């Protein structure tokens, strides 16, 4: 089911949280709503499922305008950030709750609950109460409850935020598997870019109630529209260097780089975005500086290099440690992958 | 004893003193009073011995000494040493005194005429009739309405009258004429025997059950759930309005109800427009009286439940309501499947707590109907109060009242223990029931 938000706006009293937001989620697609805390992700999600009344614009499911349809009749499944399981009900009752509300027969409910429990692999826990489950198990129950009545839309509000790293990794692929198996249209709210990139077909980046860019993960990584997007994707994050561009030569007090002719500008201040994987010893455009920080991450090692004018570049390299803190190095930048932004942060 | 133990004991002392002084001691006193027949008539200190019309009736009816009672009731004329000395002191003729002592000494006469004709047969009889009358008056003897400090004094006086008593009669007389209180279990046998008791019991049940079910939990639930679904400000105002009866002075509050219900009150005036004859709706018939009693108590009692339930509903995480909404639950289903299950413990608590407080509260009934019409709204606690502490007849029966109160104490303690068992201490220290 396609979801369309048209000129959507939401304010709480005098506080304008979202203004004039347009967003389309294709049928069967899983879209990530990615953005910093407080940018309005949950607000958007709550508007889609009908918990919040919208203050402006329209929400369409397929061709159906659901703007004023109460959430009871929207047929959306929601996994809340804190799971919101019913503490007084058993796991089976929790999962079967939407069906019980619809007054389906007990036998039917039982059958579907077992089917659902098998899908999310919690068949052995059906008699327990939510309090007797681990965070990851609760999360699966919440997912099962959201999916059991075959919703047109699945909304996930930071479902993995409370899980430990290993479980998070496991659940990422699990949710994606279930979403693809059921072919359901889904919105995943998250502020974790790895989650967004690894799980979703497309990513919508939000900032202060606005959508900054919508694109497929790799497309967005390679072609961010602004320094905000570039800074949001990638771990370790991209490094920015301020300077001026004259012709195809970038200059700051610490470095001088020849850029491919693509972007040309005369004397204007710009910002270069250099991802850590594009700053390597073997690359051509050498810059030198002093290593100020070394972090071994096991398979890879992360270096911070302070240029002569004090700006920092980051480099991520293979296993072997090549330089220690305080050492001077002269490493190269791959000019083809440099991102250039104007002083306001827009991509040139 | 080690230090921390004695410190703990010391800290507990005020509580222990309080419990002893304000709970244990009154209960023990009540139990003691319940085993006596204390009343205004007997007083609460020791009594005296007095032959009254009622004690004579008691002597006849309860002790089977009708003959003795009759004898004592009669006014008698007895020629005894006391009387003889009295006439001598009055200046009577010494010969007359000596002759009376010799011939009439120790004799009793039922009527003045008998004594007078006996005196007339004497040689040295007084000449004129006035002197004769004065003389016979001096021998007038009766113990009716006379107070004696001890049983011995009374028995001596009886003997002086010339009434000889057997040992049985002596003890019967002493018992029947004692005006102080005595130990007895009659209060309880009387309580069981009186049809009044059963009526009061039923009244109490109606009062507690109806007020509790309709208002203190039922209406409180309705209020708290209704205000939960209201916007915050109107909900606050609404709750404040329902708190008003609780914080208004009971006397004024009941007065307002009386104004409403009087035959010249609002209700009568209003219904007069529809041709209904004015009447006192409050005391007009038992059904109306009960409706008003339940309303008056319920409007006051609902507020506590409302507050407790409201805060319990507030403690339910908002996401549960959101979740149930997207799961398709209507308001009604939300109430049934989310709110009510989460209110199980508050409801139980209010039911227990309010049943105890209703059981012992009677102030609003006292102010509104005083148990009327005709005892139709007299509940156990009110009956106790009226019996022991305040009634029109003026004879306050402390003993019987204490026995009534003791029943209330026993019921209260039994219920409390049962409730404490329900609210098992272990469940109190368990983590909160509303998780996340
Ligand atoms: N009920 C409300 N009343 C007023 N302001 C609100 C309300 N709910 C949210 N906001 C504001 O709206 C903005 C967006 O909130 P929202 O919950 O959508 O953020 P979010 O993107 O989900 O953040 P997070 O990642 O921290 O969950 C925030 O600035 C928040 O303060
Ligand atoms: Mg949020």
């Amino acid at each position: 089911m396609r979801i369309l938000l048209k000129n959507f706006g939401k304010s709480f009293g005098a506080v304008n949280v979202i203004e004039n937001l347009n967003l389309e989620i294709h049928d069967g697609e899983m879209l990530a709503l990615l953005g910093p805390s407080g940018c309005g992700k949950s607000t958007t999600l709550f508007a889609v499922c009908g918990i919040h009344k919208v203050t402006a614009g329209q929400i369409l499911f397929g061709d159906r305008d659901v703007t004023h349809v109460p959430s009871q009749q929207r047929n959306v499944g929601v996994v809340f950030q804190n799971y919101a399981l019913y503490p007084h009900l058993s796991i089976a009752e929790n999962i079967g709750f939407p069906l019980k509300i619809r007054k389906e027969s007990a036998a039917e409910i039982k059958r579907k609950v077992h089917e659902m429990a098998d899908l999310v692999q919690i068949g052995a826990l059906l008699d327990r109460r939510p309090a007797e489950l681990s965070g990851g198990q609760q999360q699966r129950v919440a997912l099962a409850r959201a999916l059991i009545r075959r919703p047109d839309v699945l909304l996930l509000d930071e479902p993995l935020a409370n899980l430990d790293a290993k479980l998070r990794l496991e659940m990422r692929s699990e949710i994606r598997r279930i979403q693809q198996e059921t072919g359901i249209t889904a919105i995943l709210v998250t502020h974790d870019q790895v989650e967004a990139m690894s799980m979703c077909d497309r990513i919508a980046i939000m900032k202060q109630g606005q959508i900054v860019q919508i694109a497929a993960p790799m497309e967005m990584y390679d072609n961010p529209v602004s320094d905000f997007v570039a800074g949001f994707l990638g771990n370790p994050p991209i490094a920015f260097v301020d300077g001026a561009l004259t012709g195809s030569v970038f200059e700051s007090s610490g470095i001088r780089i020849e850029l491919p002719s693509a972007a040309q500008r005369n004397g204007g201040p710009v910002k270069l975005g250099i991802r850590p994987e594009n700053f390597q010893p073997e690359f051509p455009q050498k810059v030198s500086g002093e290593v100020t920080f070394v972090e071994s991450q096991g398979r890879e090692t992360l270096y911070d290099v302070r240029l002569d004018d004090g700006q920092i570049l980051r480099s991520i390299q293979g296993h072997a440690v090549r330089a220690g803190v305080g050492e001077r190095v002269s490493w190269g930048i791959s000019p083809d992958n440099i991102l250039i932004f104007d002083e306001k942060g827009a991509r040139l | 004893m080690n230090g921390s133990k004695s410190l703990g004991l010391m800290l507990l002392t005020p509580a222990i003193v309080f419990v002893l002084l304000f709970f244990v001691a009154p209960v023990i006193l009540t139990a003691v009073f319940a085993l006596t027949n204390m009343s205004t008539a007997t007083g609460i200190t020791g009594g005296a011995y007095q032959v009254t019309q009622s004690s004579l009736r008691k002597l006849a009816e309860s002790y089977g000494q009708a003959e003795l009672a009759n004898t004592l009731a009669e006014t008698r004329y007895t020629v005894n040493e006391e009387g003889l000395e009295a006439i001598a002191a009055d200046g009577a003729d010494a010969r007359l005194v000596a002759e009376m002592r010799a011939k009439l000494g120790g004799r009793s006469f039922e009527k003045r005429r008998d004594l007078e004709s006996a005196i007339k047969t004497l040689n040295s009889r007084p000449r004129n009739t006035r002197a004769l009358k004065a003389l016979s008056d001096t021998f007038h003897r009766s113990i009716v309405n006379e107070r004696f400090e001890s049983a011995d004094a009374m028995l001596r006086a009886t003997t002086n009258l010339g009434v000889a008593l057997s040992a049985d009669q002596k003890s019967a007389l002493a018992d029947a004429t004692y005006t102080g209180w005595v130990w007895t279990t009659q209060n309880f046998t009387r309580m069981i025997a009186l049809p009044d008791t059963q009526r009061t019991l039923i009244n109490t049940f109606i009062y507690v059950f109806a007020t509790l079910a309709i208002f203190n939990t039922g209406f409180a639930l309705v209020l708290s759930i209704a205000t939960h679904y209201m916007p915050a400000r109107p909900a606050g105002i609404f709750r404040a309005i329902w708190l008003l009866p609780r914080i208004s002075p009971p006397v004024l509050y009941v007065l307002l109800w009386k104004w409403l219900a009087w035959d010249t009150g609002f209700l009568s005036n209003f219904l007069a427009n529809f041709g209904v004859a004015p009447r006192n709706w409050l005391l007009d018939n038992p059904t109306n009286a009960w409706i008003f009693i339940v309303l008056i108590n319920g409007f006051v009692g609902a507020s506590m439940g409302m507050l407790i339930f409201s805060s319990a509903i507030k403690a339910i995480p908002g996401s549960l309501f959101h979740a149930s909404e997207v799961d398709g639950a209507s308001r009604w289903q939300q109430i049934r499947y989310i709110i009510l299950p989460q209110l199980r413990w508050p409801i139980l608590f209010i039911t227990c707590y309010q049943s105890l407080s209703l059981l012992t509260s009677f102030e609003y009934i006292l102010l509104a109907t005083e148990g009327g019409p005709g005892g139709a709204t007299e509940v156990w606690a009110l009956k106790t109060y009226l019996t022991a502490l305040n009634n029109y007849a003026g004879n306050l029966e402390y003993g019987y009242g204490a026995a009534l109160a003791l029943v209330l104490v026993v019921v209260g303690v039994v219920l409390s223990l049962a409730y404490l068992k329900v609210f098992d201490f272990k469940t109190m220290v368990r983590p909160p029931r509303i998780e996340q």
Side-chain angles (χ1 to χ4, degrees), chain B residues 307-331:
Chain B
L307 290 183
I308 300 250
F309 298 151
S310 288
S311 59
I313 294 176
K314 274 220 165 62
I316 301 174
S319 59
L320 289 192
F321 292 109
H322 294 159
S324 60
E325 256 167 53
V326 297
D327 283 344
S330 62
R331 285 233 163 132

Side-chain angles (χ1 to χ4, degrees), chain A residues 51 72 85-88 101 149, chain B residues 324 326-327 329 333 337 435:
Chain A
I51 290 170
Q72 283 89 343
L85 300 179
Y86 308 119
H88 55 284
I101 289 301
R149 70 210 149 113
Chain B
S324 60
V326 297
D327 283 344
Q333 286 170 319
Y337 295 116
E435 288 116 3

Side-chain angles (χ1 to χ4, degrees), chain A residues 12 17 36-43 81 158 191:
Chain A
F12 296 102
V17 176
S37 190
C39 70
K41 306 181 297 285
S42 298
T43 306
Q81 184 161 0
E158 314 215 15
H191 53 232

